[in-house]
Amino acid sequence: MLRTESLTKEYQSGGRPLTVLKDITFEIGPGELVAVVGPSGSGKTTLLGLLAGLDRPTRGRVIADGVDLGRLTEDGLARFRAARVGFVFQSFHLIPTLTARENILVPLELRGEDGGRRADELLERVGLSGREHHYPAQLSGGEQQRVALARAFSNRPRILFADEPTGNLDAATGAKVVEILLELNRESGTTTLLVTHDQDLALKARRIIRLRDGAVVEDSGGGGPP
Ligand code: ADP
Ligand code: MG
């Protein structure tokens, strides 16, 4: 479903190459939920960017949902993301001038779909019916992240990436957001990669990939979907 081969990413830093990901090779099955953990600076966000086709590797390959991302043009990558990928960020990244419901509709409108019913269904699914006309500033952090989750799932993605989605939330609110994420993963069969600092949240995944200094130092196994 999602496979990497010797994935390597270097940046130029003061004229010298800085290797931030080294020879990352793994395979994630359809519907799997994998937690990616590791200290700050270990390469987690860089890895997600490469897997989602937001950035290109220096060497190695990403094959996502049967597509070799290295063979796609920039337009092709954008289409791939719009059709098959969902993203949730630590800082929510909602559009402040749009209501909760309008934020959820954005990916659907980009695809030319009239997603009104889907948006309402998702609002209810994440427990925000009645809040649909609120703007992000009128919502708590946990509520904003639930809108972001609904938005990420609106296009029924094949793969979902969540980069420290609970990093700006208190523990109880974060746990609730992850609970919804786990439910959506189970219900939809969406392959899910969850980057987290929180050991308790990581343990909710059947598989943990641990990075240190850009290398995989632990991969707890390849369990299929529950
Ligand atoms: P994490 O998400 O695990 O905290 P990152 O993937 O954000 O780690 O960063 C890994 C390393 O790559 C860090 O040392 C960071 O400074 C470096 N890095 C990230 N993006 C860039 C960039 N655009 N240019 C140069 N170095 C970068
Ligand atoms: Mg990061």
Side-chain angles (χ1 to χ4, degrees):
M1 173 63 207
L2 183 58
R3 186 154 62 87
T4 68
E5 290 172 6
S6 299
L7 201 60
T8 297
K9 181 71 178 176
E10 293 171 356
Y11 288 112
Q12 292 300 320
S13 143
R16 285 188 306 179
L18 172 74
T19 305
V20 297
L21 289 176
K22 292 171 210 158
D23 271 328
I24 307 271
T25 299
F26 58 68
E27 182 164 359
I28 294 172
E32 250 194 279
L33 172 79
V34 179
V36 178
V37 303
S40 180
S42 57
K44 305 181 298 294
T45 295
T46 304
L47 176 63
L48 253 54
L50 296 178
L51 296 175
L54 290 163
D55 196 5
R56 291 186 189 271
T58 309
R59 286 186 296 283
R61 296 208 296 168
V62 176
I63 291 123
D65 201 16
V67 178
D68 183 343
L69 298 189
R71 292 179 178 273
L72 297 182
T73 61
E74 291 305 312
D75 278 356
L77 282 174
R79 278 196 299 273
F80 174 84
R81 287 195 300 271
R84 307 200 211 185
V85 174
F87 231 112
V88 181
F89 303 92
Q90 177 172 350
S91 48
F92 322 135
H93 286 211
L94 297 176
I95 299 174
T97 54
L98 299 182
T99 64
R101 189 170 186 276
E102 289 164 347
N103 266 283
I104 295 168
L105 282 168
V106 167
L108 295 164
E109 283 168 353
L110 285 175
R111 286 170 28 133
E113 280 176 36
D114 171 16
R117 269 183 54 192
R118 175 87 180 135
D120 293 332
E121 198 180 286
L122 280 161
L123 276 161
E124 185 171 351
R125 187 67 197 75
V126 300
L128 287 177
S129 299
R131 297 277 204 293
E132 57 263 46
H133 301 305
H134 286 54
Y135 289 90
Q138 300 171 321
L139 297 170
S140 70
E143 288 168 343
Q144 289 182 63
Q145 196 60 303
R146 284 190 270 154
V147 174
L149 268 180
R151 177 181 60 182
F153 274 94
S154 67
N155 64 344
R156 303 180 194 275
R158 301 276 296 147
I159 311 170
L160 183 95
F161 298 102
D163 193 353
E164 312 220 24
T166 65
N168 283 358
L169 305 175
D170 63 69
T173 306
K176 207 163 276 171
V177 163
V178 165
E179 204 172 290
I180 296 171
L181 177 62
L182 296 180
E183 285 167 10
L184 289 168
N185 161 257
R186 273 198 299 271
E187 287 166 13
S188 61
T190 298
T191 304
T192 303
L193 268 84
L194 166 67
V195 170
T196 182
H197 262 109
D198 186 325
Q199 189 65 21
D200 290 345
L201 296 185
L203 288 173
K204 292 184 188 282
R206 292 179 119 210
R207 178 172 173 189
I208 296 180
I209 292 178
R210 189 179 303 276
L211 294 181
R212 190 171 299 142
D213 295 333
V216 174
V217 293
E218 177 194 337
D219 184 345
S220 72

